[in-house]
Amino acid sequence: MIWVTVSLAAATMVGMAVTMSYILGWANRAFHVDVDSRVEAVIDALPGANCGGCGYVGCSDYAEAVVAGKAPVSKCTVGGDSCAAALAGIMGVEVAQSWPYRPIVHCGAHYDDRLDRAEYHGEKKCSAANLVAGVQGCTYGCLGFGDCERACEFDAIHVIDGLATVDYEKCVGCGACAKACPRNIITMIPFKYERMLAVTCSNKDIGDEVKVVCKVGCIGCRACSRFCSLFHMEENLPAIDYDKYCGDFMEELSKAVQKCPRKGLVLMGKPSPRDQEAVSDKTLPRVIEADFKTTVDDTEWWG
Amino acid sequence: MLYFTDIILIALGAALVNNFVLYYFVGICPFIGVSRRIDMAIGMGFAVTFVISIAALLSWTITTFILMPGAPLSKFVAGWFMPPDAAAKVDLTILSYVVYIFAIASSVQFVEMYVRRFYPSLYRSFGVFLPLITTNCAILFACLIIFSHIVGVDNPADVWDLGKSLTLAVFGGVGFTIAITIMAGIREELELCDVPQSLRGAGITLLVAGILAMAFMGFTGVDSGLKKAMTPSPVQAQQSSRE
């Protein structure tokens, strides 16, 4: 009588299937959630990295905000222009023009320019050295221990002769260096052009005090703000209004650059053809491979 | 009275002494995966408790009425086609695993719909772990414990009824909640600690889970001691009968 057992087993499974699917079907209707089909479309169009660069918890959160009209379509830095265009297509809106954000180091002093430096034997990190008074005369400028270099995942910022220098060809604008800097001298600005003018000093002290600690620091002479309306003085430092920054001001800006007595206004960004020409006869230094027997492991562990 | 003692012992055993996670090491994947924050851990604990209760209810009902040899429903249906003594021997216990997985999957689906409708933030924080309860061994484990106390028990008085089965399931879920919440508390503190690079993430979590399990070994014997204290000794029983 094996067939009775077999058919009973089959009947049990079929009965359960019918019952469960009835219950679940009822629940599906009772607990129905209206999901905007556009939300799913937007989630599909986003990179799905869940990096939080847009300021929302993840891609799905941002997608909901976009569909709800609370967020602009161009917030995704990872997806860039193509992603913004795709989102705009789904939402049926125009993409407002957006610019990539890139970091600018507001310090222009190399080792030789900094005065009053003391020997520092502590941990070779900016965050540690920043806690100690008197490592260098300038309490605002770059310390040169390379916290930003370690923070960068893209090998795009390097300490060159004691000064953090951004490699704009590699930089993707993630902002990790700006977060890592304990002195907050790295800021993210919209790069409306390949090269942007920047104030390379963060010292807020008055001119005489700056001259004591730095050969190139801003002395707060206000020459730039007199020649160009884009500058305004904040605590003895000129600040550039990047919202208004555009080609119309080029003449004023170049005048301000010429008048700066400390040469503290510098164009930053990708190298121009002229720069590349100037160094074309120089050969790259031989790359020295690290010897792992002698180099120190940078594992952060202090027992 | 004896029934009440059994219930207390089952509850205590499932929640603390033989904790599902820390004694039997079942249900480790949500235990490691969702124990990052306390509120999420508690939510996961409640979800598992809820699913485990529904699954236990379903599996007890199905086992008792359909699967076990001589179950009323299958005996009745088989009685149409075969003599009564043969019908009483119809044994559908081979179906136990597939039926339990079926019941668990359905109840997880139900819970998922419910949570999605009424607790959207909890739904988001669960992510993939809510569907993963489906394959959570803790729940199947509870079903199989109940199965083992229904099928193949010699003394008919020892067969678990619905009350005992549900107690095991609910307090097993409570034990899971206790374990995952303690774990989440430790892991929140652990975020601030300087863990060696090679142990970060799952490594240190499993070490902590092991130490936690050792701490729970301290409950060993509590149930048997309690059983001794709660069952009247033969001498006392004789005295009370004489009076």
Side-chain angles (χ1 to χ4, degrees):
Chain A
M1 297 304 242
I2 192 73
W3 63 272
V4 177
T5 313
V6 169
S7 42
L8 261 181
T12 308
M13 293 310 293
V14 171
M16 272 190 78
V18 169
T19 322
M20 293 298 181
S21 42
Y22 186 80
I23 294 173
L24 287 180
W26 169 81
N28 195 23
R29 241 178 316 138
F31 303 143
H32 182 67
V33 185
D34 282 319
V35 180
D36 198 327
S37 63
R38 288 183 300 175
V39 173
E40 276 159 21
V42 169
I43 290 174
D44 286 343
L46 287 169
N50 289 321
C51 65
C54 50
Y56 292 88
V57 178
C59 289
S60 60
D61 241 32
Y62 173 60
E64 276 170 26
V66 167
V67 172
K70 289 181 202 153
V73 292
S74 56
K75 276 262 183 147
C76 184
T77 54
V78 178
D81 288 344
S82 58
C83 176
L87 261 56
I90 295 164
M91 296 299 298
V93 294
E94 292 281 315
V95 190
Q97 197 178 6
S98 67
W99 292 282
Y101 273 69
R102 294 287 180 266
I104 274 190
V105 182
H106 292 282
C107 182
H110 296 276
Y111 275 138
D112 300 341
D113 303 322
R114 295 186 204 155
L115 308 172
D116 263 2
R117 275 182 74 82
E119 258 189 280
Y120 171 70
H121 289 294
E123 199 185 354
K124 299 287 182 208
K125 280 186 178 175
C126 304
S127 51
N130 193 32
L131 302 172
V132 186
V135 175
Q136 66 183 27
C138 180
T139 52
Y140 300 93
C142 181
L143 284 159
F145 292 114
D147 278 14
C148 45
E149 196 175 332
R150 279 188 289 274
C152 185
E153 300 261 336
F154 302 93
D155 191 34
I157 188 164
H158 299 283
V159 175
I160 298 174
D161 195 15
L163 176 64
T165 313
V166 182
D167 183 343
Y168 290 97
E169 300 212 325
K170 287 183 186 166
C171 182
V172 298
C174 67
C177 50
K179 280 180 204 141
C181 182
R183 294 194 155 183
N184 297 320
I185 60 168
I186 305 178
T187 56
M188 305 296 290
I189 65 153
F191 262 60
K192 298 183 179 177
Y193 302 96
E194 289 277 275
R195 292 152 68 74
M196 298 288 285
L197 201 66
V199 180
T200 56
C201 185
S202 305
N203 198 318
K204 293 172 181 165
D205 294 337
I206 55 168
D208 287 346
E209 289 176 15
V210 176
K211 278 182 183 171
V212 173
V213 296
C214 187
K215 285 185 191 167
V216 295
C218 173
I219 52 174
C221 67
R222 294 161 193 273
C224 46
S225 62
R226 240 175 287 139
F227 286 99
C228 180
S229 55
L230 279 181
F231 290 92
H232 60 277
M233 300 299 288
E234 278 174 13
E235 298 180 88
N236 286 325
L237 272 177
I240 299 176
D241 188 349
Y242 285 108
D243 288 338
K244 291 187 194 150
Y245 189 101
C246 70
D248 303 346
F249 294 94
M250 272 309 149
E251 217 165 288
E252 291 181 27
L253 282 170
S254 62
K255 205 177 245 176
V257 171
Q258 280 165 14
K259 290 290 172 186
C260 179
R262 306 283 274 183
K263 301 282 172 262
L265 297 173
V266 180
L267 276 171
M268 292 203 169
K270 287 186 181 157
S272 66
R274 211 171 57 189
D275 293 342
Q276 280 168 339
E277 208 175 291
V279 294
S280 57
D281 55 329
K282 292 185 180 155
T283 49
L284 282 170
R286 195 167 56 86
V287 177
I288 300 163
E289 292 291 330
D291 180 3
F292 289 103
K293 280 179 201 145
T294 55
T295 45
V296 179
D297 184 9
D298 197 30
T299 314
E300 288 183 30
W301 183 42
W302 304 292
Chain B
M1 185 62 205
L2 208 61
Y3 184 77
F4 183 64
T5 312
D6 276 356
I7 290 281
I8 288 184
L9 288 175
I10 290 170
L12 195 76
L16 293 176
V17 184
N18 298 339
N19 189 296
F20 280 13
V21 177
L22 298 173
Y23 182 82
Y24 289 117
F25 282 101
V26 292
I28 291 293
C29 83
F31 179 69
I32 301 294
V34 199
S35 58
R36 230 170 271 269
R37 275 174 35 222
I38 287 184
D39 51 345
M40 267 170 70
I42 292 176
M44 190 68 184
F46 284 152
V48 167
T49 310
F50 189 66
V51 172
I52 223 171
S53 314
I54 293 184
L57 176 70
L58 288 175
S59 59
W60 182 85
T61 314
I62 295 165
T63 313
T64 311
F65 291 105
I66 301 175
L67 297 189
M68 66 183 251
L73 200 61
S74 47
K75 193 164 108 184
F76 174 70
V77 176
W80 296 341
F81 307 103
M82 48 168 67
D85 54 331
K89 280 180 192 154
V90 168
D91 183 2
L92 294 178
T93 46
I94 44 153
L95 282 180
S96 57
Y97 279 80
V98 65
V99 161
Y100 294 161
I101 289 292
F102 202 110
I104 293 167
S106 314
S107 41
V108 166
Q109 196 59 44
F110 188 83
V111 171
E112 187 176 351
M113 286 177 193
Y114 185 83
V115 171
R116 190 177 177 191
R117 177 80 175 81
F118 295 108
Y119 306 99
S121 63
L122 197 62
Y123 178 77
R124 260 202 297 276
S125 60
F126 278 166
V128 74
F129 288 101
L130 195 57
L132 269 185
I133 300 181
T134 312
T135 51
N136 186 340
C137 35
I139 295 167
L140 183 63
F141 183 71
C143 293
L144 290 176
I145 288 186
I146 293 167
F147 175 81
S148 72
H149 281 97
I150 296 174
V151 178
V153 181
D154 296 334
N155 183 1
D158 288 344
V159 172
W160 278 13
D161 61 356
L162 186 59
K164 284 180 185 174
S165 308
L166 274 183
T167 311
L168 175 95
V170 171
F171 282 89
V174 168
F176 181 85
T177 313
I178 292 172
I180 198 172
T181 310
I182 294 175
M183 191 65 190
I186 294 174
R187 280 185 81 177
E188 279 192 358
E189 298 289 318
L190 211 59
E191 294 278 302
L192 307 172
C193 293
D194 193 19
V195 180
Q197 193 101 47
S198 49
L199 281 179
R200 279 180 200 168
I204 191 76
T205 314
L206 285 171
L207 282 182
V208 169
I211 295 168
L212 203 56
M214 283 200 266
F216 265 67
M217 278 170 70
F219 286 113
T220 313
V222 169
D223 51 348
S224 55
L226 200 65
K227 190 174 184 181
K228 219 180 273 174
M230 288 177 80
T231 18
S233 65
V235 184
Q236 278 175 337
Q238 276 179 0
Q239 279 174 351
S240 56
S241 65
R242 247 179 251 156
E243 285 163 12

